[in-house]
Amino acid sequence: MGNTFGNLFRITTFGESHGGGVGAIVDGCPPQLDISTEEIQFELDRRRPGQSKITTPRKETDTCEIISGVFEGKTLGTPIAILVRNKDTRPQDYDEMAQTYRPSHADATYDAKYGFRNWQGGGRSSARETIGRVAGGAIAKKILRQVAGVEIIGYVKRIQDLEGVVDPETVTLEQVESNIVRCPDAEFARSAIERIEHIRRQGDSVGGVVECVARNLPRGLGEPVFDKLEADLAKGVMSLPASKGFEIGSGFAGTLLTGSEHNDEFYLDASRQIRTRTNRSGGIQGGIANGENIIIRVAFKPTATIRKEQNTVTRDRQETVLAAKGRHDPCVLPRAVPMVEAMVALVLCDHLLRHRAQCNTLKPVEPIN
Amino acid sequence: MGNTFGNLFRITTFGESHGGGVGAIVDGCPPQLDISTEEIQFELDRRRPGQSKITTPRKETDTCEIISGVFEGKTLGTPIAILVRNKDTRPQDYDEMAQTYRPSHADATYDAKYGFRNWQGGGRSSARETIGRVAGGAIAKKILRQVAGVEIIGYVKRIQDLEGVVDPETVTLEQVESNIVRCPDAEFARSAIERIEHIRRQGDSVGGVVECVARNLPRGLGEPVFDKLEADLAKGVMSLPASKGFEIGSGFAGTLLTGSEHNDEFYLDASRQIRTRTNRSGGIQGGIANGENIIIRVAFKPTATIRKEQNTVTRDRQETVLAAKGRHDPCVLPRAVPMVEAMVALVLCDHLLRHRAQCNTLKPVEPIN
Amino acid sequence: MGNTFGNLFRITTFGESHGGGVGAIVDGCPPQLDISTEEIQFELDRRRPGQSKITTPRKETDTCEIISGVFEGKTLGTPIAILVRNKDTRPQDYDEMAQTYRPSHADATYDAKYGFRNWQGGGRSSARETIGRVAGGAIAKKILRQVAGVEIIGYVKRIQDLEGVVDPETVTLEQVESNIVRCPDAEFARSAIERIEHIRRQGDSVGGVVECVARNLPRGLGEPVFDKLEADLAKGVMSLPASKGFEIGSGFAGTLLTGSEHNDEFYLDASRQIRTRTNRSGGIQGGIANGENIIIRVAFKPTATIRKEQNTVTRDRQETVLAAKGRHDPCVLPRAVPMVEAMVALVLCDHLLRHRAQCNTLKPVEPIN
Amino acid sequence: MGNTFGNLFRITTFGESHGGGVGAIVDGCPPQLDISTEEIQFELDRRRPGQSKITTPRKETDTCEIISGVFEGKTLGTPIAILVRNKDTRPQDYDEMAQTYRPSHADATYDAKYGFRNWQGGGRSSARETIGRVAGGAIAKKILRQVAGVEIIGYVKRIQDLEGVVDPETVTLEQVESNIVRCPDAEFARSAIERIEHIRRQGDSVGGVVECVARNLPRGLGEPVFDKLEADLAKGVMSLPASKGFEIGSGFAGTLLTGSEHNDEFYLDASRQIRTRTNRSGGIQGGIANGENIIIRVAFKPTATIRKEQNTVTRDRQETVLAAKGRHDPCVLPRAVPMVEAMVALVLCDHLLRHRAQCNTLKPVEPIN
């Protein structure tokens, strides 16, 4: 029962890497939203393998089909089922993994939990499951943009020790998409590509940090005390494959400051709106959005599956050595950008609906048509 | 509807800082568990204010009463209601805050969300709401210990730039409780106390990092793809007041390594159990516990409420200057330790029940008595 | 985890008949709602024992205390905790029941499920647990009345074979409260009182049917396909103690008609609103409110606990004979009326919030203050 | 968000009558369960249109595909996605319904709720959505049978005023499937077929009652106070299209008895098990299964869509007359049997997992492999 995310705007995903396909059911979507297969495909294309020389060469077009919930180009308010068939599967590449556990991969723990697993290409633990998230996130983004002009933009902030310079206040999707690393800092992008290609040639992998900003979010979203906005954002991105850490606003570095240095002073802007001069809070105070930009960072570890030889064990408890075959990303970061954006969009859209349900209710009900 | 946490082992908390009291309902607790008021009080005492010279001087005994769900010292399987009355309230200390928003506190966002708030002492956004969590966590700890010998031990790892040396493999509760900072490293504790007292005299505050280890956790807990164990742990601790960041295992530092450096190689131990030589995974692979120690870290910002003057605004949109009155912690870290432990216990206990429900079911049902 | 009801407007109840008390946490209540202890107490007084000669003589004032969530007479949007202490407990009356199972009562099944129970007065299976429902329902009613003028009125429709004549279109609370049976039909009420007193003297009990109408409900509430409005109403009332059946609109009798006889023809009323000429649908079509009156009926069995001797068994598996002591209702119907109303109110209020969340969302967000 | 059913064993359904297809995601299924497409198809065939002369002539084979969650014939513990494509769609049959509201159908309320609908064949409100339920129910049945030998058998009990004689203690699936009415009473079946054919020729429809028994259910299932077993059963079946009433055990008729007549006396059977001599409780006391047979009845109204002329209105608020085209069931009862069984199976399987999670937990954790 861990495959549903969200309370009101809710996705349920399904699918293994090498089964019949993957996808998602989106339930709770407001009716009468214009949505097209193309809008969903746009985000899936940002996520798909084989998109550049620094991603896995697995050739999947990840073409999506909307099975239900949309009629004449508009959402019906009923569940939206989205299906992506698996195409370029090579189960034979994984024969060895039926027996041999990849270090720091989910092979061993899936066996420990379920006593059994689809060993072809990672099964359910493959990053391929994120297709359902990205598809659902595309719809969430559309709602957020249409209702409140919310923009959600992710980018690669770090690859190992290389760090890009990006201004979250102004960064655009076009800038992010201008190179295959997905970071607007061109110089950083060049170094990062070099690093990734170098590491790939070594049969190894690298990790890094994705930063994501949400702009124009209405004040008030977030549901204390457990469903604080940062708590649900943390859960959302920490459920992505390979994530190891989460920060909101000042994050771990904020612990080095004193309160008087860290606090975001309030002031009144030209239109007498309450604003903060700094944004160490990352747009959230007390678990509730304060109208400033939401800024988070997510750490992704280096890909576990590598060609380099590693000591490991088999399912039947023999020690052995593994040099993984199959087609893998030397660095997940560029493809993780749309995944992080999707999870942020899903959380914010769910909280938009939740906030409205509780806090906009004591008014007369208006007919919908 | 954000005041319930957990799926099967589930707490619902209530209460404001200056209302009639705070507490929790624990639903889903297994029946026939021995539990006493004293066991819950023990954890509440670790959390309560006024416990040492480096915490707030507010005098609250935080005495808990079990209203329901326990009979003749054993749980009934029905909801366990726990109530702690508020005693040492001084609403007059907060008169100014009815109007003036504390920077980086929840005053302004509660007003933005609900249009209204209990301004006395922070209301629902006060850390006092964590009493319900700690009470529920005490019961969760008992279950985990009894069923599987799980030990959950938190400690202060950093205060600003001061860092303690602690071995998560061996650290004990007694060591943690041996000083008022809640860190077994005595030298670090001395420096930290000095730092906190210094900063308090300045009317300022500091933050830091709590580390928490869970030992002896059975393999298999965790529910991919959204309710991965690290995702629920992240949500749990990021819902605590003042938290700004979360790490599991290698965390952000792990992004500096290559895959071959980062991966935890498998081996067979003396009893032919599958183990990992290192634990950069922090005890979780693919969202599922692998039987190694769970290790997390949580960043807490410096307390927002400080005596130092700060620029801010009022509810009716006037710019002003605030020097907060009231009784506040110069550093939340020592009191945050039992809070982090409680959230970890709640997550692990819920996942213990969830795992058993799905994965231990295809066996004949045994009568309970 | 079966003690929470509702998705957005959500109550969690607690308490045993003879423990420290009973009550509820109401989470998700819209902020800034005027609510007083008196309004809640009014409904509790309709439910409490000892209110008339045809109810149990147990003397409980059922005085409620609001512990949290209300400030200066208004809801805060935070959880509302309501506590009612148990006063007139007589555990000694139940000594025999520690061992002897009452036929058709929950004694045996609680032991079968939990291996253990609070045998004093029924414990959690006592109708006393409905105090939390009625308290939560009082708040739900207030919201429904304030937002949309919704009126929810229940009444006793049948006692055994005696049936009252009531017009659901026009019946008022005052009429219902005009006699101790809670049925506006005075003649029926007289016969029913006579019947109940007669049956009580025999040490026996009777059952009957409660009917409940909800008027002025906005069209559109209800969430197909599983959370259809009638499905959630059915669940709500079938979770009440002693309920054995549920009908919406034409109910079981409707199965005797043909489609052309049963269908509710549409027409346009004077204000060109779409209405139905008949209401065999009971106000719901396809799981969604159509704007006509919601009409349901609930069957309640005769009280299980009776003074008459019955064959039964003991916990340690001996056959025996039981003539129950303790103070019991000879007929639960009059006290069931506020319980049914409460469950209907909880369901409708939750669905009001749910409908607004999904279907009123594609509009600009308005600030709450 | 009303398209998910269950807590631990949980289905999410999708699909409109005339979109790309319908289906379900089953989440929380125990791993290592043998399950085949054939087993699911068997139940779908009992539900599909065109199966006999007394059902709709729409020609759908309703062939199902398992997209995920099953590997080498066994469940993986991951979400099981099941898809059935729509084939024999004739949107042109429904042209008129784009504008004209069928009396007592969901056309008008879907428009009132969502402002928009897929008018082809009922869209989401078509009984076609129950395919997902029946598919999920097939898996639930398999688990219940395998773990505890539970048998769930439904049958038609009444068509209008015609009533069949069936013994719930002994009725078998083979007997039920022996005629097209799905009632083992052959004489009743003959009369019922005659009645249905007669009514169909008149362009009209009839309703009736389905009874369903669950045998061999382990004691203890059910989660007071809101998720009592009968409450969840009521919700499950009252969410089926056309259902108008629900009874457990003695139901409405039980209200005519006194307590001494109604109570089920306990006794010890030959193996010293606690049993009841009668079963007016319908297998549930206090919301918890007592080990006797679960017996429920569900009222289904006559099909709303009929060929006979009826007064109605259009979407743009004109009064008109409708004689419905399209292919419709003159009586849903025979096809409702597998739907009722499916909902009962889903509820019982979910409660089996829930009961085990809470009440079988205080034992050492056993490894799964």
Side-chain angles (χ1 to χ4, degrees):
Chain A
M1 51 161 298
N3 296 282
T4 295
F5 188 78
N7 285 270
L8 297 187
F9 188 89
R10 183 189 277 188
I11 67 167
T12 301
T13 70
F14 62 90
E16 281 81 46
S17 167
H18 282 64
V22 296
I25 313 299
V26 179
D27 197 10
C29 184
Q32 304 190 52
L33 179 78
D34 293 306
I35 193 79
S36 66
T37 305
E38 289 70 32
E39 288 168 291
I40 296 168
Q41 195 64 52
F42 172 78
E43 295 289 347
L44 292 180
D45 287 348
R46 299 175 71 208
R47 194 219 73 90
R48 79 178 169 79
Q51 64 182 263
S52 80
K53 62 184 178 181
I54 56 173
T55 62
T56 165
R58 180 169 167 170
K59 291 285 177 232
E60 289 280 3
T61 56
D62 287 352
T63 308
C64 72
E65 177 190 8
I66 299 177
I67 307 263
S68 68
V70 176
F71 183 60
E72 299 178 346
K74 285 179 197 296
T75 56
L76 285 162
T78 62
I80 304 169
I82 301 166
L83 175 63
V84 170
R85 294 281 181 183
N86 294 327
K87 295 281 172 56
D88 181 21
T89 57
R90 301 194 197 162
Q92 68 282 9
D93 281 5
Y94 297 89
D95 274 359
E96 189 174 12
M97 288 169 202
Q99 273 302 317
T100 307
Y101 291 147
R102 285 168 288 178
S104 285
H105 207 286
D107 302 333
T109 49
Y110 266 67
D111 264 358
K113 182 175 190 65
Y114 302 114
F116 177 59
R117 77 197 148 92
N118 181 341
W119 46 263
Q120 300 172 340
R124 182 72 178 148
S125 77
S126 162
R128 200 158 172 69
E129 63 85 354
T130 62
I131 284 177
R133 305 174 186 239
V134 170
I139 300 173
K141 275 184 184 175
K142 184 79 185 281
I143 294 167
L144 289 162
R145 194 161 54 233
Q146 181 163 324
V147 172
V150 178
E151 295 175 305
I152 297 168
I153 300 175
Y155 41 86
V156 172
K157 179 72 182 166
R158 272 214 288 110
I159 297 290
Q160 274 193 316
D161 57 308
L162 304 172
E163 181 155 344
V165 178
V166 186
D167 179 0
E169 297 276 336
T170 59
V171 61
T172 66
L173 175 63
E174 291 65 36
Q175 290 168 359
V176 171
E177 296 299 306
S178 68
N179 61 57
I180 59 177
V181 178
R182 290 207 166 86
C183 179
D185 180 337
E187 193 171 342
F188 161 77
R190 268 191 303 276
S191 317
I193 292 169
E194 205 170 284
R195 174 76 59 89
I196 295 168
E197 294 200 289
H198 172 73
I199 213 82
R200 185 226 296 271
R201 282 189 298 269
Q202 297 185 303
D204 213 332
S205 64
V206 288
V209 175
V210 169
E211 188 166 88
C212 185
V213 61
R215 297 192 293 240
N216 298 329
L217 193 72
R219 288 160 213 255
L221 306 201
E223 304 287 328
V225 295
F226 295 114
D227 299 348
K228 288 178 174 172
L229 201 51
E230 66 270 48
D232 277 352
L233 287 166
K235 169 163 177 156
V237 299
M238 290 305 299
S239 73
L240 287 170
S243 60
K244 299 299 288 180
F246 169 84
E247 290 185 327
I248 175 90
S250 63
F252 281 88
T255 63
L256 301 174
L257 305 178
T258 63
S260 60
E261 290 163 349
H262 189 274
N263 283 348
D264 295 317
E265 293 195 344
F266 288 114
Y267 75 103
L268 298 172
D269 71 7
S271 57
R272 299 194 59 74
Q273 287 293 306
I274 296 172
R275 301 287 310 276
T276 66
R277 289 208 187 275
T278 49
N279 186 16
R280 294 182 197 98
S281 299
I284 302 174
Q285 286 164 341
I288 299 169
N290 67 356
E292 307 295 328
N293 292 339
I294 305 281
I295 300 179
I296 66 163
R297 278 172 301 283
V298 191
F300 289 93
K301 69 174 185 178
T303 319
T305 312
I306 55 178
R307 275 189 295 111
K308 268 197 174 171
E309 284 199 345
Q310 302 170 91
N311 296 315
T312 187
V313 299
T314 62
R315 190 178 150 82
D316 52 4
R317 312 210 169 177
Q318 303 298 325
E319 297 197 336
T320 186
V321 169
L322 174 74
K325 297 195 202 75
R327 298 153 295 172
H328 306 286
D329 288 278
C331 175
V332 298
L333 276 285
R335 295 179 60 203
V337 167
M339 299 179 201
V340 169
E341 288 177 7
M343 295 314 297
V344 169
L346 289 167
V347 169
L348 296 183
C349 186
D350 187 38
H351 275 277
L352 177 68
L353 271 58
R354 292 177 71 177
H355 177 61
R356 291 196 152 196
Q358 183 183 15
C359 295
N360 275 13
T361 292
L362 294 182
K363 300 174 185 170
V365 180
E366 291 168 48
I368 195 166
N369 68 337
Chain B
M1 52 161 296
N3 296 283
T4 296
F5 188 79
N7 286 270
L8 297 186
F9 188 89
R10 181 189 277 188
I11 67 167
T12 301
T13 69
F14 62 89
E16 281 81 44
S17 167
H18 282 64
V22 297
I25 313 298
V26 180
D27 198 10
C29 183
Q32 305 190 50
L33 178 78
D34 292 307
I35 193 81
S36 66
T37 306
E38 289 68 34
E39 287 168 291
I40 297 168
Q41 195 64 50
F42 172 77
E43 294 290 347
L44 292 180
D45 287 347
R46 296 175 72 210
R47 195 219 72 91
R48 79 178 169 78
Q51 62 182 265
S52 79
K53 62 183 178 181
I54 58 172
T55 63
T56 165
R58 180 170 167 170
K59 291 286 177 230
E60 289 279 5
T61 55
D62 287 353
T63 309
C64 72
E65 177 191 8
I66 298 176
I67 307 263
S68 69
V70 176
F71 183 61
E72 300 178 344
K74 284 180 198 295
T75 57
L76 285 162
T78 62
I80 305 169
I82 301 165
L83 174 64
V84 170
R85 295 282 180 181
N86 294 326
K87 295 281 173 60
D88 182 20
T89 58
R90 299 192 198 165
Q92 68 281 8
D93 280 5
Y94 295 90
D95 274 359
E96 190 175 10
M97 287 167 202
Q99 274 302 318
T100 306
Y101 291 147
R102 283 169 289 177
S104 285
H105 207 284
D107 303 332
T109 49
Y110 267 66
D111 264 359
K113 183 173 189 67
Y114 302 114
F116 176 61
R117 78 196 145 95
N118 180 342
W119 45 264
Q120 298 172 341
R124 183 71 177 149
S125 76
S126 162
R128 202 156 170 71
E129 63 86 356
T130 61
I131 284 177
R133 306 174 184 237
V134 171
I139 300 173
K141 276 184 183 177
K142 183 80 185 279
I143 294 167
L144 289 161
R145 194 162 53 232
Q146 181 163 327
V147 173
V150 178
E151 294 175 304
I152 297 168
I153 300 175
Y155 41 87
V156 173
K157 179 72 181 167
R158 272 215 288 110
I159 298 289
Q160 274 194 315
D161 56 307
L162 305 171
E163 183 156 344
V165 178
V166 186
D167 180 0
E169 299 275 339
T170 58
V171 61
T172 66
L173 175 63
E174 291 64 36
Q175 288 167 358
V176 172
E177 295 299 307
S178 68
N179 61 57
I180 59 177
V181 177
R182 291 210 163 84
C183 179
D185 179 337
E187 194 171 342
F188 161 77
R190 267 192 303 278
S191 314
I193 293 169
E194 205 170 285
R195 175 75 59 89
I196 295 169
E197 294 200 288
H198 173 73
I199 213 82
R200 187 227 296 267
R201 281 189 298 268
Q202 295 184 306
D204 214 334
S205 64
V206 289
V209 174
V210 168
E211 189 166 87
C212 184
V213 61
R215 298 191 295 238
N216 299 330
L217 195 70
R219 286 161 216 254
L221 307 202
E223 304 287 328
V225 293
F226 296 114
D227 300 347
K228 289 178 174 172
L229 202 52
E230 65 269 49
D232 278 351
L233 288 168
K235 170 163 176 154
V237 298
M238 290 304 299
S239 73
L240 286 170
S243 61
K244 300 300 289 180
F246 169 84
E247 291 185 326
I248 176 92
S250 64
F252 281 87
T255 64
L256 300 174
L257 305 178
T258 63
S260 60
E261 291 163 347
H262 189 273
N263 283 348
D264 295 318
E265 294 195 343
F266 288 113
Y267 74 103
L268 298 171
D269 70 8
S271 57
R272 297 194 60 72
Q273 286 294 303
I274 296 173
R275 301 288 309 275
T276 66
R277 289 206 187 275
T278 49
N279 187 17
R280 293 182 197 100
S281 299
I284 303 175
Q285 285 164 339
I288 298 169
N290 67 355
E292 306 295 328
N293 292 338
I294 306 280
I295 300 179
I296 66 164
R297 279 172 300 284
V298 191
F300 289 93
K301 68 175 186 179
T303 319
T305 312
I306 54 177
R307 274 189 295 111
K308 267 198 175 171
E309 284 199 347
Q310 299 171 93
N311 295 315
T312 188
V313 299
T314 61
R315 189 178 151 83
D316 53 3
R317 309 210 172 178
Q318 304 297 325
E319 297 197 334
T320 185
V321 170
L322 174 74
K325 298 194 201 77
R327 296 154 297 172
H328 307 286
D329 288 277
C331 177
V332 299
L333 275 286
R335 294 179 58 202
V337 167
M339 299 180 201
V340 168
E341 289 177 5
M343 295 315 298
V344 169
L346 290 166
V347 169
L348 297 182
C349 186
D350 188 37
H351 274 276
L352 176 69
L353 270 59
R354 292 177 72 177
H355 177 61
R356 292 195 151 196
Q358 183 183 15
C359 296
N360 273 14
T361 292
L362 294 183
K363 301 177 185 168
V365 179
E366 290 168 49
I368 195 165
N369 66 338
Chain C
M1 51 161 297
N3 296 283
T4 296
F5 188 79
N7 286 269
L8 296 187
F9 187 89
R10 182 188 276 188
I11 67 166
T12 301
T13 69
F14 61 89
E16 281 81 45
S17 167
H18 282 65
V22 297
I25 312 299
V26 180
D27 197 9
C29 184
Q32 304 189 52
L33 178 79
D34 292 306
I35 193 81
S36 66
T37 305
E38 288 70 32
E39 288 168 291
I40 297 168
Q41 194 64 50
F42 172 77
E43 296 291 347
L44 292 181
D45 287 347
R46 297 176 71 208
R47 196 218 72 90
R48 79 177 168 79
Q51 62 182 264
S52 79
K53 62 184 177 180
I54 57 172
T55 61
T56 165
R58 179 168 167 171
K59 292 283 177 234
E60 287 281 4
T61 56
D62 286 354
T63 308
C64 73
E65 179 190 7
I66 299 176
I67 307 263
S68 68
V70 176
F71 182 60
E72 299 177 345
K74 286 178 197 296
T75 57
L76 284 162
T78 61
I80 304 170
I82 301 167
L83 174 63
V84 170
R85 294 284 181 179
N86 295 328
K87 295 280 172 58
D88 182 21
T89 57
R90 300 194 198 162
Q92 67 282 9
D93 281 4
Y94 296 89
D95 274 0
E96 188 175 12
M97 289 168 201
Q99 273 301 319
T100 306
Y101 291 147
R102 284 169 288 178
S104 285
H105 207 288
D107 301 332
T109 49
Y110 267 67
D111 264 359
K113 181 173 190 68
Y114 302 114
F116 177 59
R117 78 197 144 94
N118 180 342
W119 45 264
Q120 300 172 340
R124 183 70 179 150
S125 77
S126 163
R128 203 159 169 70
E129 64 84 356
T130 62
I131 284 178
R133 306 176 186 236
V134 170
I139 300 173
K141 277 185 184 176
K142 183 80 185 278
I143 294 168
L144 289 162
R145 195 160 52 231
Q146 181 164 326
V147 172
V150 178
E151 292 175 305
I152 297 168
I153 300 177
Y155 40 88
V156 172
K157 180 71 179 164
R158 272 214 291 110
I159 297 290
Q160 273 193 314
D161 56 309
L162 305 172
E163 181 155 344
V165 178
V166 187
D167 180 2
E169 298 277 337
T170 59
V171 61
T172 66
L173 175 62
E174 290 66 34
Q175 289 167 358
V176 171
E177 295 299 306
S178 68
N179 61 57
I180 59 177
V181 178
R182 288 206 168 88
C183 178
D185 180 337
E187 195 171 342
F188 161 77
R190 266 190 305 273
S191 315
I193 292 170
E194 208 170 283
R195 175 77 57 89
I196 296 168
E197 293 200 290
H198 172 74
I199 213 82
R200 185 226 298 268
R201 280 189 300 267
Q202 296 186 303
D204 213 331
S205 64
V206 287
V209 174
V210 169
E211 188 166 88
C212 184
V213 60
R215 297 192 294 240
N216 299 327
L217 194 71
R219 287 161 213 257
L221 306 201
E223 305 286 328
V225 295
F226 295 114
D227 300 347
K228 289 179 174 171
L229 201 51
E230 65 269 49
D232 278 351
L233 287 167
K235 169 163 176 154
V237 297
M238 290 304 300
S239 74
L240 286 171
S243 60
K244 298 301 288 181
F246 169 84
E247 292 185 325
I248 175 92
S250 63
F252 280 88
T255 63
L256 300 175
L257 306 178
T258 63
S260 60
E261 291 163 347
H262 189 273
N263 282 349
D264 296 317
E265 294 197 342
F266 288 114
Y267 74 104
L268 298 171
D269 71 7
S271 57
R272 297 193 60 75
Q273 286 294 304
I274 296 172
R275 301 288 308 276
T276 65
R277 288 206 188 273
T278 48
N279 187 17
R280 294 182 196 98
S281 299
I284 303 174
Q285 287 164 339
I288 299 170
N290 68 355
E292 306 296 328
N293 291 339
I294 307 280
I295 300 180
I296 66 164
R297 278 173 300 284
V298 191
F300 289 92
K301 69 173 185 179
T303 319
T305 312
I306 54 176
R307 275 189 296 113
K308 269 197 175 171
E309 283 199 347
Q310 300 171 92
N311 295 316
T312 188
V313 300
T314 61
R315 192 178 148 84
D316 52 3
R317 309 208 173 179
Q318 303 300 324
E319 296 196 339
T320 185
V321 170
L322 174 73
K325 296 194 202 76
R327 295 155 297 172
H328 307 287
D329 288 278
C331 175
V332 299
L333 275 286
R335 295 177 60 203
V337 167
M339 298 179 200
V340 169
E341 288 177 7
M343 294 315 297
V344 170
L346 289 166
V347 169
L348 297 182
C349 186
D350 188 37
H351 274 276
L352 177 69
L353 270 59
R354 292 176 72 178
H355 177 61
R356 293 196 151 196
Q358 184 183 13
C359 295
N360 275 13
T361 292
L362 293 183
K363 301 176 183 168
V365 180
E366 291 167 48
I368 194 166
N369 66 338
Chain D
M1 50 162 296
N3 296 283
T4 296
F5 188 79
N7 286 268
L8 297 187
F9 187 88
R10 184 189 275 188
I11 67 166
T12 300
T13 69
F14 61 90
E16 280 81 45
S17 167
H18 282 65
V22 296
I25 313 299
V26 179
D27 198 10
C29 184
Q32 305 191 54
L33 179 78
D34 292 306
I35 193 81
S36 67
T37 305
E38 290 67 34
E39 288 168 290
I40 296 168
Q41 194 64 51
F42 172 77
E43 295 289 348
L44 292 180
D45 288 347
R46 298 176 71 210
R47 195 220 71 92
R48 79 176 168 79
Q51 63 182 265
S52 81
K53 61 183 178 179
I54 57 171
T55 62
T56 167
R58 182 170 166 169
K59 291 285 179 231
E60 289 280 5
T61 56
D62 288 352
T63 309
C64 73
E65 178 190 7
I66 298 176
I67 307 262
S68 67
V70 177
F71 182 61
E72 300 178 344
K74 285 179 198 294
T75 56
L76 285 162
T78 62
I80 304 169
I82 301 165
L83 174 64
V84 171
R85 294 282 181 183
N86 295 327
K87 294 281 171 59
D88 182 19
T89 59
R90 299 193 197 163
Q92 67 281 8
D93 280 4
Y94 296 89
D95 274 0
E96 190 176 11
M97 288 169 202
Q99 274 302 319
T100 305
Y101 291 147
R102 283 169 288 177
S104 285
H105 207 287
D107 302 332
T109 48
Y110 267 67
D111 265 359
K113 182 174 189 67
Y114 302 114
F116 176 60
R117 77 197 147 94
N118 181 342
W119 46 264
Q120 300 172 340
R124 183 69 177 150
S125 76
S126 163
R128 204 160 168 68
E129 62 86 355
T130 61
I131 285 177
R133 305 175 187 236
V134 171
I139 300 173
K141 276 184 185 177
K142 184 78 185 281
I143 294 168
L144 289 162
R145 196 162 50 232
Q146 181 163 327
V147 172
V150 178
E151 294 174 304
I152 296 167
I153 299 176
Y155 41 87
V156 173
K157 178 73 180 166
R158 272 214 289 111
I159 298 290
Q160 274 193 315
D161 55 308
L162 306 171
E163 181 156 344
V165 178
V166 186
D167 179 2
E169 298 275 338
T170 58
V171 62
T172 66
L173 175 63
E174 290 63 35
Q175 290 168 357
V176 171
E177 296 298 306
S178 68
N179 61 57
I180 60 178
V181 179
R182 289 207 166 86
C183 178
D185 180 337
E187 194 171 342
F188 161 77
R190 268 192 302 277
S191 315
I193 292 169
E194 205 170 284
R195 175 76 59 89
I196 295 168
E197 294 200 289
H198 172 74
I199 213 82
R200 187 227 296 269
R201 283 190 297 269
Q202 295 184 303
D204 213 334
S205 63
V206 288
V209 174
V210 169
E211 190 166 86
C212 185
V213 60
R215 296 191 295 239
N216 299 330
L217 194 71
R219 286 159 214 255
L221 306 201
E223 303 286 329
V225 294
F226 296 113
D227 300 348
K228 289 178 175 172
L229 201 53
E230 66 269 51
D232 277 351
L233 288 167
K235 171 166 176 153
V237 297
M238 290 304 300
S239 75
L240 287 170
S243 60
K244 300 299 288 180
F246 169 84
E247 290 185 326
I248 174 92
S250 63
F252 280 89
T255 63
L256 300 174
L257 305 178
T258 62
S260 60
E261 290 163 347
H262 189 274
N263 282 348
D264 295 319
E265 293 196 344
F266 288 114
Y267 74 104
L268 298 172
D269 70 8
S271 58
R272 298 194 61 74
Q273 286 294 304
I274 296 173
R275 301 287 309 276
T276 66
R277 291 211 185 269
T278 49
N279 187 16
R280 296 184 195 97
S281 299
I284 303 174
Q285 287 165 337
I288 299 169
N290 68 355
E292 306 296 328
N293 291 340
I294 306 281
I295 300 179
I296 65 163
R297 279 173 300 282
V298 191
F300 289 93
K301 68 174 185 179
T303 319
T305 312
I306 54 177
R307 275 188 295 110
K308 268 200 175 168
E309 283 200 348
Q310 301 171 91
N311 295 315
T312 187
V313 299
T314 62
R315 189 179 150 84
D316 53 4
R317 310 210 171 177
Q318 303 298 324
E319 296 196 335
T320 186
V321 170
L322 175 73
K325 298 195 201 77
R327 296 154 296 173
H328 307 287
D329 289 278
C331 177
V332 299
L333 275 286
R335 296 177 60 205
V337 167
M339 299 179 201
V340 169
E341 288 177 5
M343 295 314 298
V344 169
L346 289 166
V347 169
L348 296 183
C349 186
D350 188 37
H351 275 277
L352 176 68
L353 271 58
R354 291 176 74 178
H355 177 62
R356 290 195 154 198
Q358 183 183 12
C359 295
N360 275 13
T361 291
L362 293 182
K363 301 174 185 170
V365 180
E366 291 167 49
I368 194 164
N369 66 337

